[in-house]
């Protein structure tokens, strides 16, 4: 995960050819993926940037939190790219799973999974594969990969570690006022 | 000043070997050591103290949890959601007293004799305990004093946190009468050289103030300070050995380097919690005891109980911040009665419980996804929650058995935990889900979640106590019916589970058992 304001190596042609299929959130280059509006980009090892973009969207569709930016979903799924780089069988599972999603999308008349405009349409596709090992691997990984990122805890209003601050005995353990 | 730590020879056959240092083993070890009896305690895990505990749910789980491979079967939801994690317990000095929430409730009088009071419940193997509340009262009293239980011995109750206040307000509105911040073995004021609770909120991850009683930093070091108790860490008991007369003579264990050692023993006490204890007895089979030690009844491993559990979480329009302060901050006792008119025998408690965001994601509705789930998580700051803990029916088929194929790193069969909910458990759970939601509805909940059971924290039965040898594994002292110098000292002795968190009863039984062992040793009977 790297953060940058200037995506590198991006050709206008790539943007044009992949733009529709990938939706509008990402710009994609050789071995990297950049968010179109947020200031971050990530390199990919084994999965293509397009596959990674699909994975990030899939992660958001599984656990959609509108106040959590794509960056945290990207961090949550990055391990699948690393695992794919180590294990050819894992790469095959990822490639086939993501390919199935695109095929299902095309069967539904969309250019790709990412090219489907509505979350409900994408979720309908996910339901079709919800029992698959691929889907459960992605979903299961998100439970720790997404919700155990300390940076997302404040978004949920969770304060995490409290011992170093002396606990909550003087910091609102019983401050409820609306009952 | 601490005495020089005891170090006993492997061939010293005058020692009492205790397997496990949790509520049962840790307490028993200290009680025996105080009486001048030599104790070697074998602890499978390492030693972590308050300065080591981590205010982080997954990191703490990695540090403390018993993660050795186990398998599950049966219709309980834990089998589906947590296939290889039937129980959420601790592998460390102090055992699950590092992790426990602190609720310290005595069994109710009727719960000692459920077969008599509840009658013959089809599909359940109910049995009366061979002891009762009158017999246990003085030991409960000693246990509460030892543990510093609030609302006993003049110790004030803990203050209620936000999560408690929501529950209490709802309880009052639905007409419940018996709700409070409960009897908790968490210091409400400094006591026994331990600090008062600072409302840190990570009780399950080990109390960093040491305010919550745990054998890790009370019983174990007190026992060691006598010079009579040696604790061997990373010592995994593999097999209990016996002589030609059928008396146990020692314990073979793997040390921290994986090397097998054999500690000789005059008496062996098994206190490895209700999965490992029967597993060890079963794995100790021999030509004389082909079905495992202490198993002439065939009852070792059977009647596994885990309490009827579940949780109700609810969302409100305004913030609660339930995670601030004591994890188990209060209790409703009104439903903990036996009133079969509700459609089930036995009763249950509501006890507040909170999880942080990481564990809430894992446990709120395991396997769920999509906006129904994430909108619940989005409301985390406005969430309140209670845990449900009720009496489950003992069943012969709910059992810890040895897996026929899978073995552990020592080549020993791993335990399988089979559990089918009894219809009584399901009826009680449904009642509790409804009542729990009503409590929160009464104070304006906008949405409630009937959350399924977590991996078991209360593990009971599997070496149950019985008056007659044919009905159980141990007698009323926790002494095995078959082998006089072999004892069971943990919750696996429980004849039935009752509706109360088991730790206080485990500690009271251990204090009583120590007196008995000392008398028997003095008399030369063992």
């Amino acid at each position: 995960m790297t953060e940058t304001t200037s995506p590198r190596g991006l050709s206008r042609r790539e943007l044009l050819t992949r733009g529709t299929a990938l939706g509008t959130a990402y710009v994609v280059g050789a071995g990297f993926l950049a968010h179109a509006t947020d200031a971050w980009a990530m390199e990919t090892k084994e999965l293509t940037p397009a596959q990674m973009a699909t994975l990030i969207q899939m992660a958001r569709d599984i656990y959609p939190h509108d106040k959590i930016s794509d960056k945290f979903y990207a961090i949550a799924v990055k391990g699948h790219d690393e695992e794919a780089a180590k294990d050819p069988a894992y790469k095959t599972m990822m490639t086939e799973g993501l390919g199935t999603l695109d095929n299902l999308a095309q069967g539904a008349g969309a250019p790709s999974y990412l090219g489907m405009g509505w979350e409900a349409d994408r979720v309908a596709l996910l339901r079709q594969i919800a029992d698959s090992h691929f889907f459960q691997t992605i979903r299961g990984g998100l439970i720790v990969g997404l919700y155990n990122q300390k940076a997302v805890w404040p978004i949920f209003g969770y304060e995490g570690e409290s011992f170093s601050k002396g606990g909550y005995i003087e910091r609102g353990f019983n401050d409820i006022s609306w009952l | 000043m601490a005495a020089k730590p005891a170090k006993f020879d492997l061939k010293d056959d005058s020692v009492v070997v205790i397997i496990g240092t949790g509520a049962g083993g840790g307490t028993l070890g200290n009680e025996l050591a105080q009486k001048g009896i030599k104790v070697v305690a074998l602890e499978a895990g390492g030693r972590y103290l308050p300065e080591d505990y981590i205010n982080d749910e997954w990191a703490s789980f990695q540090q403390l949890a018993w993660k050795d491979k186990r398998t599950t079967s049966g219709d309980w939801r834990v089998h589906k959601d947590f296939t290889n994690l039937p129980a959420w317990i601790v592998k460390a000095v102090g055992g699950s007293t590092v992790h426990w929430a602190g609720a310290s409730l005595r069994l109710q009088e009727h719960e000692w004799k459920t077969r008599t009071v509840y009658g013959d419940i089809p599909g359940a193997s109910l049995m009366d305990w061979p002891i009762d509340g009158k017999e246990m009262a003085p030991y409960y009293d000693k246990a509460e004093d030892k543990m510093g239980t609030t609302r006993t011995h003049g110790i004030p109750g803990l203050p209620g946190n936000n999560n408690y206040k929501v529950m209490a307000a709802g309880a009052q509105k639905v007409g419940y009468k018996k709700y409070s911040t409960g009897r908790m073995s968490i210091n409400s004021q400094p006591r026994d050289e331990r600090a008062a609770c600072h409302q840190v909120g990570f009780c399950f991850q080990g109390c960093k103030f040491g305010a919550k009683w745990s054998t890790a930093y009370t019983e174990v070091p007190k026992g060691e300070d006598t010079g009579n108790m040696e604790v061997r860490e990373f010592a995994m008991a593999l097999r209990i050995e016996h002589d030609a007369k059928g008396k146990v003579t020692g314990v073979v264990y793997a040390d921290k380097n994986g090397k097998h050692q054999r500690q000789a023993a005059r008496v062996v006490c098994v206190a490895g919690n209700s999965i490992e204890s029967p597993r060890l007895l079963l794995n100790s089979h021999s030509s004389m005891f082909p079905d495992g030690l202490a198993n002439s009844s065939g009852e070792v491993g059977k009647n596994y109980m885990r309490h009827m559990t579940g949780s109700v979480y609810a969302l409100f329009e305004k913030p609660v911040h339930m995670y601030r302060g004591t994890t188990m901050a209060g209790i409703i006792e009104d439903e903990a009665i036996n009133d079969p008119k509700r459609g089930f025998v036995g009763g249950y408690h509501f006890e507040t419980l909170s999880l942080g965001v990481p564990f809430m994601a894992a446990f709120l509705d395991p396997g769920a996804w999509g906006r129904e789930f994430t909108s619940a998580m989005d409301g985390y700051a406005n969430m309140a929650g209670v845990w449900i803990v009720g009496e489950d029916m003992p069943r012969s088929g709910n059992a810890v058995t040895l897996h026929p194929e899978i073995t552990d790193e020592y080549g020993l069969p791993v335990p399988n935990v089979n559990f089918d909910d009894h219809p009584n458990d399901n009826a009680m759970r449904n009642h509790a889900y409804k009542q729990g939601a009503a409590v929160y509805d009464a104070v304006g909940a906008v949405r409630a979640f009937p959350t399924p059971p977590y991996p078991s924290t209360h593990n009971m039965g599997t070496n149950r106590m019985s008056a007659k040898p044919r009905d159980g594994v141990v007698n009323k002292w926790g002494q095995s019916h078959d082998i006089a110098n072999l004892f069971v000292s943990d919750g696996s002795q429980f004849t039935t589970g009752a509706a109360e968190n088991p730790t206080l009863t485990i500690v009271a039984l251990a204090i009583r058992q120590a007196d008995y062992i000392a008398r028997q040793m003095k008399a030369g009977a063992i």
Side-chain angles (χ1 to χ4, degrees):
Chain A
M1 195 73 202
T2 56
E3 294 195 35
T4 171
T5 50
S6 57
R8 302 148 298 165
L10 181 69
S11 76
R12 180 170 170 74
R13 184 168 165 276
E14 257 179 321
L15 250 184
L16 288 173
T17 54
R18 290 179 154 173
T20 314
L22 284 175
T24 54
Y26 296 99
V27 287
V28 171
F32 80 91
L33 176 72
H35 196 272
T37 52
D38 288 359
W40 64 271
M42 70 191 298
E43 292 176 55
T44 58
K45 284 183 179 166
E46 196 68 25
L47 300 180
T48 67
Q51 286 175 321
M52 189 54 78
T54 305
L55 207 47
I56 294 167
Q57 184 63 58
M58 180 185 172
R60 177 180 285 288
D61 292 336
I62 293 172
Y63 291 119
H65 292 287
D66 299 339
K67 291 178 182 171
I68 293 181
S69 78
D70 275 1
K71 176 175 147 183
F72 299 110
Y73 288 96
I75 292 168
V77 297
K78 189 160 172 47
H80 297 299
D81 180 40
E82 284 155 13
E83 195 62 30
K86 279 185 269 178
D87 179 0
Y90 199 87
K91 185 189 174 185
T92 302
M93 177 183 70
M94 285 291 137
T95 302
E96 288 180 359
L98 292 165
T100 299
L101 272 187
D102 278 338
N103 290 341
L104 287 170
Q106 283 153 16
S112 65
Y113 182 78
L114 277 173
M116 297 186 105
W118 287 96
E119 177 185 304
D121 294 335
R122 294 190 301 271
V123 167
L125 300 192
L126 293 179
R127 285 213 184 89
Q128 293 182 44
I129 65 159
D131 291 333
S132 69
H133 181 58
F134 166 69
F135 178 88
Q136 288 301 333
T137 300
I138 304 301
R139 189 203 62 74
L142 285 166
I143 289 293
V144 176
L146 179 64
Y147 295 103
N148 202 36
Q149 290 183 51
K150 288 188 172 68
V152 308
W153 293 348
I155 300 169
F156 291 101
Y158 178 55
E159 297 166 88
E161 185 275 331
S162 84
F163 172 72
S164 69
K165 298 166 191 141
Y168 290 102
I169 194 156
E170 291 173 4
R171 297 190 310 122
F173 81 103
N174 60 354
D175 66 356
I176 198 162
S177 57
W178 54 263
L179 278 168
Chain B
M1 189 60 206
K4 191 165 181 279
K7 181 85 184 78
F8 297 109
D9 193 273
L10 288 169
K11 294 190 170 60
D12 186 343
D13 60 5
S14 69
V15 302
V16 174
V17 174
I18 301 175
I19 296 153
T21 59
T27 302
L28 178 67
N30 181 32
E31 291 287 317
L32 292 174
Q34 298 293 337
K35 297 175 197 295
I37 294 169
K38 292 186 283 184
V39 172
V40 172
L42 303 177
E43 170 52 54
R47 191 182 303 237
Y48 309 95
L49 295 170
E51 59 269 28
D52 305 315
Y53 301 145
I54 308 167
N55 272 196
D56 180 308
E57 291 176 316
W58 282 118
S60 175
F61 185 85
Q62 287 301 324
Q63 180 187 50
L64 299 172
W66 189 291
K67 299 184 289 290
D68 295 14
K69 176 128 189 183
R70 289 166 170 172
T71 60
T72 54
S73 54
D75 72 8
W76 58 326
R77 179 142 171 198
V78 169
H79 168 53
K80 172 173 169 275
D81 295 337
F82 305 98
T83 309
N84 294 116
L85 190 73
W88 177 9
I89 55 179
V90 171
K91 188 178 193 176
V93 171
S96 296
T97 65
V98 177
H99 157 90
W100 79 310
S104 303
L105 306 169
R106 297 187 182 197
L107 266 61
Q108 302 169 76
E109 198 52 45
H110 71 270
E111 291 170 330
W112 297 102
K113 35 179 82 62
T114 54
R115 178 61 183 81
T116 301
V117 177
Y118 301 166
D120 182 14
I121 305 293
S125 48
L126 286 169
M127 191 165 70
D128 292 356
W129 291 62
I131 51 177
D132 59 17
K134 189 169 170 234
E135 163 77 21
M136 289 304 294
Y139 299 100
Y140 271 137
D141 193 62
K142 285 181 184 178
E144 288 159 350
D145 185 39
K146 179 192 281 293
M147 299 160 82
T149 307
T150 58
R151 295 194 165 88
T152 76
H153 298 86
I155 303 168
L158 285 158
N161 67 357
N162 292 332
N163 202 22
Y164 170 71
K165 287 182 167 184
V166 174
M167 183 192 78
Q172 192 260 329
K173 287 205 172 167
V174 301
Y176 284 144
K177 306 290 183 209
K178 296 169 73 179
Y179 53 91
S180 73
T181 57
R183 291 185 169 196
M184 303 294 295
S185 294
I186 298 176
N187 278 349
S188 56
Q189 55 196 23
R191 190 175 192 271
D192 195 24
E193 297 179 35
R194 291 185 290 113
C197 174
H198 280 60
Q199 303 288 337
V200 168
F202 285 87
C203 301
F204 288 166
Q205 284 69 38
C207 179
K208 288 191 71 68
F209 277 97
K212 179 184 78 181
W213 178 85
S214 168
T215 56
Y217 42 82
T218 60
E219 305 305 304
V220 168
K222 285 178 184 183
E224 289 173 318
D225 281 353
T226 64
N228 296 323
M229 179 170 168
E230 178 190 351
V231 176
R232 291 189 199 144
E233 297 155 27
F234 300 109
M236 178 71 191
L238 305 176
R239 175 178 184 81
I240 300 169
E241 295 192 331
H242 64 82
D243 62 18
K245 292 177 189 161
K247 290 279 191 298
V248 294
T249 55
V251 179
V252 176
Y253 65 95
D255 69 14
K256 61 179 185 293
N257 301 315
K259 196 175 163 205
H260 288 204
Q261 306 285 358
R262 183 185 187 280
Q263 175 62 54
R266 177 171 171 182
V267 175
V268 173
C269 302
V270 182
N273 210 316
S274 296
I275 297 176
E276 286 309 310
S277 288
R279 179 192 180 216
L280 178 61
L281 295 177
L282 294 171
N283 270 333
S284 300
H285 60 81
S286 65
S287 53
M288 185 183 274
F289 300 112
D291 299 323
L293 293 188
N295 198 23
S296 67
S297 63
E299 293 288 316
V300 170
K302 293 183 179 172
N303 310 297
Y304 170 72
M305 294 170 285
R306 42 113 42 219
H307 273 150
M308 183 291 294
T309 68
S311 303
V312 178
Y313 291 96
L315 291 185
F316 296 85
E317 291 174 67
K318 293 180 180 171
V320 176
H321 300 294
M322 66 173 172
Y323 56 87
R324 291 181 184 169
T326 321
T327 302
M328 197 165 275
I331 183 169
I332 301 173
E333 298 179 85
D334 296 72
E335 300 285 2
I337 53 172
N338 177 44
D339 175 14
K341 287 199 296 293
R342 292 177 297 179
F344 53 89
V345 297
Y348 64 88
H349 293 91
F350 290 113
E351 297 173 346
T352 75
L353 196 145
S354 70
L355 299 173
V357 161
F359 274 14
M360 189 57 75
F363 293 128
L364 178 66
D365 188 7
W369 56 280
R371 286 204 181 260
E372 184 181 0
F373 177 82
T374 55
S375 61
M377 291 297 297
D378 285 337
Y380 178 78
N382 295 11
M383 196 180 274
V386 286
W387 192 48
I388 304 158
V389 51
E391 179 162 24
D392 58 338
M393 289 297 106
R395 312 190 79 179
S396 189
N398 288 351
V400 175
T401 55
L402 301 179
H403 197 284
E405 287 138 27
I406 303 173
T407 54
D408 67 8
E409 62 186 295
Y410 310 108
L412 294 171
V414 304
N416 181 70
V417 181
N418 183 72
F419 191 90
D420 294 323
D421 284 309
H422 188 278
N424 196 77
D425 306 346
N426 289 328
M428 189 191 291
R429 184 178 292 111
N430 289 334
H431 189 273
Y433 279 152
K434 190 164 148 267
Q435 291 302 112
V439 164
Y440 287 134
D441 283 348
V443 279
V446 293
R447 203 171 148 199
F449 310 97
T451 293
Y454 314 128
S456 314
T457 50
H458 298 174
N459 299 275
M460 301 164 294
T462 72
N463 288 309
R464 70 177 177 177
M465 188 183 276
S466 65
K468 295 174 187 159
R470 67 164 187 265
D471 295 331
V473 179
V474 298
N475 66 17
K476 66 178 185 172
W477 306 104
Q479 180 179 32
S480 77
H481 286 302
D482 297 351
I483 302 172
N485 65 339
L486 175 63
F487 288 76
V488 174
S489 314
D490 58 17
S492 69
Q493 305 172 75
F494 281 29
T495 307
T496 52
E500 287 73 28
N501 310 54
T503 300
L504 177 71
T505 301
I506 295 172
V507 173
L509 287 170
I511 296 169
R512 178 171 167 274
Q513 187 180 70
D515 288 352
Y516 177 77
I517 289 174
R519 285 198 304 272
Q520 292 285 298
M521 287 175 74
K522 196 172 176 191
I526 54 176

